[in-house]
Every structure is written in structure tokens, then in C-alpha cells.
Amino acid sequence: VEGKWGRIKTGSEFFFNFKFDRHVKECRHIQGLPLHIAFDFNVNPYMSLSVWQVEGKGVYMIDEIAMKDPENTIKHTCREFTKRYNLHNAGLFVYGDPSGRKEDVGREKGFNYFKEIERDLAKFRPQIRVPNLAPPVVMRGNFINDIFANGFDGIKIFIHDKSLYLKDDLL
């Protein structure tokens, strides 16, 4: 850019304390620990589902599912999750954007994204952990940046090195 070397700054670097060499490593599924999954209901470029486990104060992103068109739906994303974790039986916690709780004119009355997820992942007995409102963006960013920088209260976050998208998004 303009003949200058280095990384291009776009002005939107949000998680500035994320460091590839500190926070990216091999993270494996540990049988017997619950799974924590987080949906991002984007359509393009893909619908995203990140799969996490917590061991002590370590938070590990062990997998990501990115379903592209024409399979970028909740049904296809849940089907892929089930294919990968079919034998998991140690608990499932579901997170995501609170806007997924809203009713949609294209859906049956009383039905929303999280109801669909509950139905599609019923064999795992999922517990939905989604607040009614998302916390303020700046507060969320500062909290995660504190964890990346100092391991806030001993908490550490690690992203699986095989992640195709999240590690790049964080950079």
C-alpha cells in the first residue's frame, strides 16, 4: 500500500491483544467435558459455529464449522455439528447473537433461531445461554482484550491452529 512494507491497517482492528504465537495452538476435543457452541447467523460468506471447551480457566476453541451457500442454514450447520460430535454426551451449551431470539415473519409463531437449534440438536439436550440483549460492544471488546493481554483472573483463550476463519478474523 502506497509502496510501504508491513501489515495493512484497516482501522477496524478490534482485538488488538490477540497474538497468533500466544493464542493459537492445537486444541483437541476432550471426552467428558461439555461443549460450548456459539452461532453467528451470518449468511455471507458463511454461517459460523465455533465449538469450545473449558478446562479449569482455559477456554479452547476446538473446532469451527463454516457452512457456505447453499448450506448456510441452521439445519445444515446443526447436521454438520451432529456428524462431527454424534457420540458426545457430556453436555451442550448454546450461545449466539440475542437477535436470534426474535420472531421472524417467515417462521411459525413463537419460533426463532434458537428454537430451531434446540429442535435440531435435541439429542444433545442443549441448554440455551443467550441473554435478551447483547452487552455493549466496547465493554465486550475490552474484556476479551484484557483476557488476551493478561489472562484476566487467570482465564486464557486458545484458538485451534486448524481454524480456517476465526484466527484470521481475530488478527
Side-chain angles (χ1 to χ4, degrees):
V1 173
E2 297 177 357
K4 298 176 185 172
W5 291 93
R7 200 165 132 227
I8 300 168
K9 294 279 185 183
T10 63
S12 63
E13 290 78 11
F14 190 67
F15 295 114
F16 49 84
N17 286 326
F18 173 77
K19 305 293 182 225
F20 197 90
D21 59 334
R22 264 178 57 193
H23 301 111
V24 175
K25 69 181 210 168
E26 183 178 10
C27 300
R28 294 178 179 250
H29 177 228
I30 301 170
Q31 287 292 348
L33 286 181
L35 294 174
H36 299 260
I37 61 175
F39 282 85
D40 189 351
F41 301 116
N42 291 331
V43 174
N44 289 311
Y46 48 80
M47 177 173 281
S48 172
L49 173 64
S50 56
V51 183
W52 302 78
Q53 285 190 300
V54 177
E55 185 176 36
K57 291 198 174 195
V59 181
Y60 303 88
M61 193 274 264
I62 61 169
D63 197 3
E64 72 181 343
I65 297 170
M67 302 301 287
K68 296 182 178 183
D69 188 46
E71 296 181 334
N72 51 345
T73 65
I74 289 172
K75 179 173 278 324
H76 283 98
T77 305
C78 289
R79 189 176 295 148
E80 180 63 25
F81 173 82
T82 300
K83 186 170 102 180
R84 294 183 191 189
Y85 296 95
N86 191 41
L87 299 177
H88 181 82
N89 61 6
L92 179 66
F93 299 97
V94 178
Y95 307 85
D97 185 343
S99 67
R101 288 184 172 280
K102 293 181 181 170
E103 291 185 12
D104 184 312
V105 293
R107 297 186 181 286
E108 183 180 327
K109 183 85 172 141
F111 216 63
N112 60 46
Y113 288 145
F114 291 105
K115 294 288 184 190
E116 190 173 339
I117 291 164
E118 277 182 307
R119 183 195 65 208
D120 290 349
L121 298 179
K123 73 169 268 165
F124 298 100
R125 296 182 310 282
Q127 293 181 35
I128 306 296
R129 289 185 167 179
V130 178
N132 290 327
L133 294 172
V137 172
V138 172
M139 186 184 308
R140 279 192 322 237
N142 289 340
F143 178 65
I144 298 301
N145 273 309
D146 281 350
I147 293 172
F148 281 141
N150 310 311
F152 177 85
D153 196 28
I155 299 168
K156 294 187 180 191
I157 298 174
F158 300 100
I159 309 302
H160 188 24
D161 58 353
K162 300 266 190 290
S163 158
L164 296 176
Y165 303 103
L166 183 59
K167 64 185 178 192
D168 290 337
D169 286 348
L170 290 167
L171 283 173

